[in-house]
Amino acid sequence: MTDTEYMELALEEAEKAAAEGEIPIGAVLVYRDLIIASGHNCKEKDQDPTAHAEILVIRKAARFLKTWRLTDACLYVTIEPCPMCAGALLNARISRLVYGSPNPQYGAIDSRFHLVSSSVLNHSIEVKSGVLQEECQSLLDDFFSHRRR
């Protein structure tokens, strides 16, 4: 599958989040060309501030592989990860991150902070951004537009 096809699956997860009243962020984790975890934000449902799509998917993947080291894994997420999620990506040793829309307020990859490319850390992550950016951003914009009404 291509980056675009995996991001389409992450968008499907984001749509599930929106249907549940959650901020529509979805994620898919691919390990050696096999999808091993997918999920979406569940902060409201779980009443858990750490229940971001990325964190939930990393946890599922680690349980599946029976290791916390997710080298050779690629995470697809509909929005640029926040500092908490970027830290989790680094700690999990994710090899590659593909995200859709930038996160100008909290983005910890390119927008506000540059955590995963810091030269002071012992791990860095290959990053590709802007995959299905318009679709990812539109889903967020629509969600917040409806919420404000």
Side-chain angles (χ1 to χ4, degrees):
M1 290 179 70
T2 66
D3 287 343
T4 300
E5 290 169 319
Y6 286 124
M7 188 61 74
E8 286 170 348
L9 297 175
L11 270 166
E12 288 177 16
E13 285 293 331
E15 289 168 356
K16 291 178 191 174
E20 295 171 9
E22 300 279 354
I23 295 175
I25 299 172
V28 171
L29 195 134
V30 177
Y31 178 76
R32 298 182 180 166
D33 299 323
L34 177 68
I35 298 170
I36 61 170
S38 62
H40 55 273
N41 273 12
C42 290
K43 284 174 55 175
E44 299 299 329
K45 180 181 79 122
D46 295 350
Q47 289 301 293
D48 178 355
T50 69
H52 290 203
E54 301 95 320
I55 301 292
L56 298 174
V57 166
I58 288 169
R59 288 177 183 159
K60 286 179 190 177
R63 281 193 301 270
F64 179 83
L65 293 174
K66 296 180 176 43
T67 182
W68 62 267
R69 288 180 182 89
L70 302 178
T71 52
D72 298 326
C74 179
L75 180 71
Y76 293 83
V77 64
T78 55
I79 191 170
E80 178 183 3
C82 71
M84 176 183 69
C85 294
L89 291 165
L90 287 164
N91 279 294
R93 307 300 193 265
I94 299 282
S95 297
R96 185 167 182 254
L97 166 68
V98 178
Y99 71 87
S101 179
N103 184 348
Q105 190 170 15
Y106 295 108
I109 308 303
D110 297 312
S111 296
R112 283 277 179 202
F113 312 101
H114 304 277
L115 293 181
V116 303
S117 60
S118 173
S119 61
V120 300
L121 300 173
N122 67 345
H123 181 69
S124 62
I125 299 172
E126 176 189 337
V127 176
K128 181 176 181 180
S129 62
V131 176
L132 296 180
Q133 180 175 340
E134 285 184 28
E135 293 87 337
C136 293
Q137 189 62 52
S138 177
L139 189 58
L140 283 164
D141 291 345
D142 290 348
F143 176 81
F144 285 113
S145 174
H146 288 270
R147 196 175 207 185
R148 285 184 199 107
R149 284 189 221 152

